[in-house]
Amino acid sequence: MSTVEKEVAAGRGSARAVAIASSLGRFLVIAITTYLGLLAVTFFIGRVIPIDPVLAVLGDRAPANVVERTRREMGLDLPLIEQFYIYVKNALNGNFGISVLTTNPVMTDIRRALPATTELATLGTLIGALFGVPLGVLAAVKRGSLIDQIVRIIGLIGYSVPIFWLGLLALVLFYAKLQWVAFPARLDVVYEYTFTPITGFYLLDSAMQGQWDVFYDAFRHIILPASLLGYFSLAYISRMTRSFMLNELSQEYIVAARAKGLSETRIIWGHALRNAAVPMVTVIALSYAGLLEGSVLTETVFSWPGIGLYITNSLQNADMNAVLGGTIVIGSVFIAINLLSDLLYRVLDPRTKVQ
Amino acid sequence: MTASDAGPLSRRDWLLSERPASRMQARLGRAYVAWRRFSANRLAFLGLLIIVALLVVAALAGVLAPYSPTFGDLKNARLLAPSAEHWFGTDDLGRDILSRILYGSRWTLYVVILVAIIAAPIGLLVGTVAGYAGGWTDAILMRITDIFLAFPKLILALAFVAALGPGIENAVLAIAITSWPPYARIARAETLTVRNSDYIKAVQLMGASPFRIVLRHIMPLCISSLIVRVTLDMAGIILTAAGLGFLGLGAQPPLPEWGTMIASGRRFVLDQWWVAGAPGFAILIVSLGFNLLGDGLRDALDPRSGDQ
């Protein structure tokens, strides 16, 4: 390599470093403002909308001096901006206050509930991707055929059906009538005392400990809610896969591959799907985030002890600390997945790299 | 359709003329082309039929419903299975479920329409102002939009209703607060494509104020893509409202709102599945209708697919 070439390469390298640094900087700004926005909205919901948070805690019969003291203890005599600062600091430390309903710190409750939600959403996304991607590819390859129509209808119904209603009907059919699955809960009562979870993911824990009877029982409990969530992510994933694949199949490199005489199987699964895989990663990540949110209604129907059920139970008891804590945690995970999938897209797709 | 085809041939030609003589002729021509494209799509037409049926049922619920939606026969008609007298059976208070579903269509329309007339103008205003003003205004408004876009909608609506108190008005408000950001993005994108065009320059030269330009010359151009998006969102709005009702945060009993009806039928679902089953089916049909209609409208009005 001549010196000139080296200089050019070095110059290109530093230009690239600057570009990477600036896009990283932009990413950080977006991440920080989004999180601050989430905290600002929850702060607004918790402190500003209720006419008087003190009354919400004490009721309207408390004597005036108690009201005054509580107001000071809650920091409500401070200027709003200072209150917000304290609120952000507490939230960053994972301090969301005490749950009125369970009398535990909200964070402790959430830490206990999070693995249940994660296990459900993960299995749901796996089911959705496992069936959704091949269905979408088939629909794109056989465009306009019967299978394309069927995939379209499956997707449309998935977009239109109330998830809690489908869950109730599924319970009637598969639990009450056919008895294929277990009753709504995470485990049979028998195992609640003999089984000690390690990670909180029951399927994983029981498999690690070799307790296959527990594994089977956990599976019988999770399979119905996970399949329901899976259906919803299938509706989204198959629709997006179809449109990405149609886009790829109309590209010239596909014509070139056909001209070379490659088999249709190889062209579809080896060439087209591989190029569609990059946006697919984003879609699957987004559908995972969507399932975390969708778990609120599903968990209520299936008595699944995750964050969704925690939030709805707290709602029914006007336990705002718990509701807002749960909102912040799910919101944070949701935002993080959004941002990371965006970042991943940039890293994976060579076209978005800086020249 | 046959009337216009059988009539003088010139009517179709007049509508499709490439040199419309008046503004009205141009508008009618565009509407005709869009209608032709729309009605060729059978599924979209089915969607339109469903929505028209919803409107008719909501308007005539009092005539169509065989029984009262709020008072039932507690003595003789509790939890009856579907029969010739009660097509969808009766609920735990002896009320006819069909009548409640017919009346419930009013509440579905109420939610959908209110959310649309609250959220769409907010989005339209934010998007057009951001797109036309540019610079810092644009940056700040779009950052706020993106922040709201990154939130999980249902969870945020839940938290809002938790603070505001349960009720159908608060549910509408919560859904509207969480659903304007996509409209702002669309309006901004449309604004950016027209803001540097010659006709805007011409109006600027004539001395129109930015306010007038945005209101009279930019907003009308954003309307059609906004309508498509709102129609596509209707299903989501209905599902969210039903979800809030199901969790006891939306409409309160005895209001015959479909989500609330599913919630109250939940207790009997293992034995009397129709109490919760029928209203859910109504939700499914109506959201399917909005989804089909939205898809069809998008294909028919898509500016990228040309005029013919």
Side-chain angles (χ1 to χ4, degrees):
Chain A
M1 198 186 264
S2 73
T3 47
V4 180
E5 273 175 352
K6 259 183 203 158
E7 265 168 33
V8 170
R12 215 183 276 151
S14 67
R16 185 150 179 215
V18 169
I20 288 176
S22 89
S23 70
L24 207 67
R26 200 177 314 131
F27 178 79
L28 277 179
V29 168
I30 289 176
I32 291 170
T33 48
T34 312
Y35 274 108
L36 270 183
L38 175 68
L39 291 175
V41 170
T42 49
F43 174 77
F44 178 78
I45 292 173
R47 290 286 169 88
V48 184
I49 294 184
I51 299 154
D52 193 342
V54 177
L55 284 186
V57 174
L58 294 176
D60 51 2
R61 291 222 204 124
N65 60 335
V66 178
V67 169
E68 203 45 49
R69 204 180 64 223
T70 314
R71 186 182 304 278
R72 234 173 302 128
E73 277 169 6
M74 289 172 78
L76 291 169
D77 53 339
L78 299 171
L80 215 54
I81 189 82
E82 212 165 309
Q83 287 186 39
F84 182 58
Y85 174 73
I86 295 170
Y87 180 79
V88 171
K89 216 169 68 179
N90 281 338
L92 290 181
N93 288 326
N95 177 9
F96 300 121
I98 306 282
S99 159
V100 181
L101 187 63
T102 62
T103 68
N104 294 327
V106 170
M107 202 56 200
T108 314
D109 287 344
I110 287 176
R111 213 168 277 149
R112 202 173 297 149
L114 196 57
T117 302
T118 317
E119 187 177 34
L120 191 58
T122 309
L123 196 61
T125 311
L126 278 179
I127 293 172
L130 222 58
F131 291 92
V133 172
L135 277 179
V137 170
L138 268 181
V141 171
K142 301 202 187 303
R143 188 182 185 181
S145 69
L146 184 69
I147 183 127
D148 188 16
Q149 298 291 339
I150 292 174
V151 171
R152 184 160 178 222
I153 290 169
I154 291 176
L156 267 170
I157 292 178
Y159 276 104
S160 311
V161 73
I163 186 168
F164 48 94
W165 175 72
L166 203 59
L168 283 176
L169 293 194
L171 266 181
V172 173
L173 183 63
F174 293 111
Y175 163 61
K177 297 268 186 298
L178 298 173
Q179 305 207 324
W180 287 358
V181 300
F183 63 91
R186 257 192 114 179
L187 270 184
D188 277 351
V189 188
V190 193
Y191 296 113
E192 297 254 325
Y193 299 98
T194 58
F195 172 65
T196 40
I198 309 165
T199 56
F201 303 106
Y202 284 8
L203 286 177
L204 206 65
D205 290 346
S206 55
M208 277 189 330
Q209 297 175 28
Q211 293 182 305
W212 295 107
D213 53 334
V214 181
F215 181 85
Y216 176 68
D217 186 59
F219 181 77
R220 264 166 46 99
H221 280 95
I222 200 175
I223 188 66
L224 194 57
S227 306
L228 264 177
L229 286 177
Y231 174 48
F232 282 82
S233 84
L234 179 152
Y236 177 55
I237 289 175
S238 66
R239 190 173 182 160
M240 297 312 277
T241 308
R242 178 179 180 275
S243 86
F244 292 143
M245 281 298 283
L246 282 179
N247 189 24
E248 292 301 331
L249 286 173
S250 65
Q251 302 287 324
E252 280 177 3
Y253 72 86
I254 297 289
V255 180
R258 284 216 175 97
K260 278 198 293 185
L262 293 185
S263 73
E264 221 25 47
T265 326
R266 181 126 178 243
I267 291 173
I268 293 162
W269 301 96
H271 288 223
L273 186 64
R274 210 162 142 200
N275 278 289
V278 175
M280 286 310 304
V281 171
T282 319
V283 164
I284 292 174
L286 288 180
S287 93
Y288 186 72
L291 288 196
L292 278 182
E293 185 190 24
S295 66
V296 174
L297 290 164
T298 320
E299 285 176 5
T300 313
V301 173
F302 289 95
S303 304
W304 191 259
I307 291 203
L309 190 66
Y310 180 64
I311 292 181
T312 46
N313 277 343
S314 312
L315 272 174
Q316 248 106 46
N317 294 284
D319 188 354
M320 273 320 266
N321 280 346
V323 172
L324 291 180
T327 308
I328 292 175
V329 169
I330 292 197
S332 303
V333 178
F334 193 87
I335 292 170
I337 292 176
N338 259 317
L339 289 170
L340 285 180
S341 67
D342 193 39
L343 202 67
L344 206 62
Y345 183 80
R346 271 166 225 235
V347 174
L348 285 181
D349 193 341
R351 278 166 300 189
T352 57
K353 279 218 180 92
V354 189
Q355 294 296 310
Chain B
M1 202 60 61
T2 47
S4 68
D5 284 343
L9 200 81
S10 59
R11 191 185 291 168
R12 190 167 173 274
D13 290 340
W14 182 79
L15 281 170
L16 293 178
S17 163
E18 286 189 4
R19 291 193 185 76
S22 68
R23 191 182 278 189
M24 192 182 78
Q25 184 184 352
R27 275 188 189 153
L28 284 175
R30 285 191 63 92
Y32 175 69
V33 170
W35 169 250
R36 284 295 296 266
R37 212 185 295 148
F38 178 80
S39 53
N41 182 346
R42 253 179 295 166
L43 279 178
F45 201 73
L46 177 68
L48 183 67
L49 280 185
I50 293 175
I51 303 311
V52 170
L54 174 74
L55 291 171
V56 171
V57 165
L60 302 178
V63 183
L64 293 173
Y67 299 92
S68 152
T70 37
F71 297 103
D73 185 356
L74 265 172
K75 209 167 166 191
N76 306 316
R78 283 190 73 231
L79 295 168
L80 292 180
S83 65
E85 272 161 56
H86 301 279
W87 288 5
F88 292 163
T90 58
D91 67 6
D92 54 321
L93 297 174
R95 297 172 297 197
D96 180 50
I97 293 175
L98 175 65
S99 307
R100 282 176 68 72
I101 287 177
L102 293 178
Y103 274 98
S105 62
R106 291 186 176 171
W107 292 105
T108 301
L109 272 182
Y110 175 88
V111 168
V112 161
I113 291 173
L114 269 185
V115 169
I117 60 176
I118 297 173
I122 297 178
L124 188 61
L125 189 70
V126 171
T128 47
V129 168
Y132 187 71
W136 275 105
T137 322
D138 183 30
I140 291 169
L141 284 178
M142 278 303 115
R143 200 74 275 283
I144 295 173
T145 309
D146 284 349
I147 287 173
F148 267 87
L149 213 52
F151 290 161
K153 278 172 73 175
L154 178 67
I155 305 267
L156 206 61
L158 274 180
F160 265 112
V161 183
L164 292 168
I168 199 161
E169 291 85 5
N170 290 340
V172 165
L173 211 58
I175 298 172
I177 289 171
T178 52
S179 54
W180 62 269
Y183 309 144
R185 295 227 74 140
I186 289 168
R188 176 172 176 268
E190 296 275 315
T191 310
L192 288 182
T193 60
V194 297
R195 69 179 276 205
N196 290 324
S197 57
D198 288 341
Y199 83 91
I200 295 288
K201 293 256 161 51
V203 197
Q204 278 169 346
L205 279 177
M206 280 191 268
S209 68
F211 176 74
R212 190 186 164 88
I213 293 175
V214 167
L215 194 70
R216 299 292 303 270
H217 299 278
I218 291 182
M219 278 190 184
L221 287 166
C222 307
I223 296 281
S224 78
S225 38
L226 211 60
I227 287 178
V228 172
R229 181 62 205 236
V230 170
T231 315
L232 280 171
D233 279 359
M234 291 285 184
I237 294 169
I238 292 175
L239 292 181
T240 312
L244 289 176
F246 178 69
L247 294 176
L249 295 168
Q252 299 296 306
L255 221 58
E257 195 270 332
W258 295 339
T260 316
M261 286 169 68
I262 298 178
S264 49
R266 188 183 167 189
R267 278 174 292 153
F268 325 107
V269 77
L270 292 185
D271 298 313
Q272 286 93 12
W273 56 270
W274 58 86
V275 181
F281 202 67
I283 298 176
L284 169 62
I285 297 292
V286 171
S287 10
L288 198 61
F290 275 115
N291 272 331
L292 292 173
L293 180 69
D295 273 351
L297 278 181
R298 185 180 51 199
D299 295 344
L301 296 175
D302 191 351
R304 278 167 299 176
S305 62
D307 273 342
Q308 291 294 322

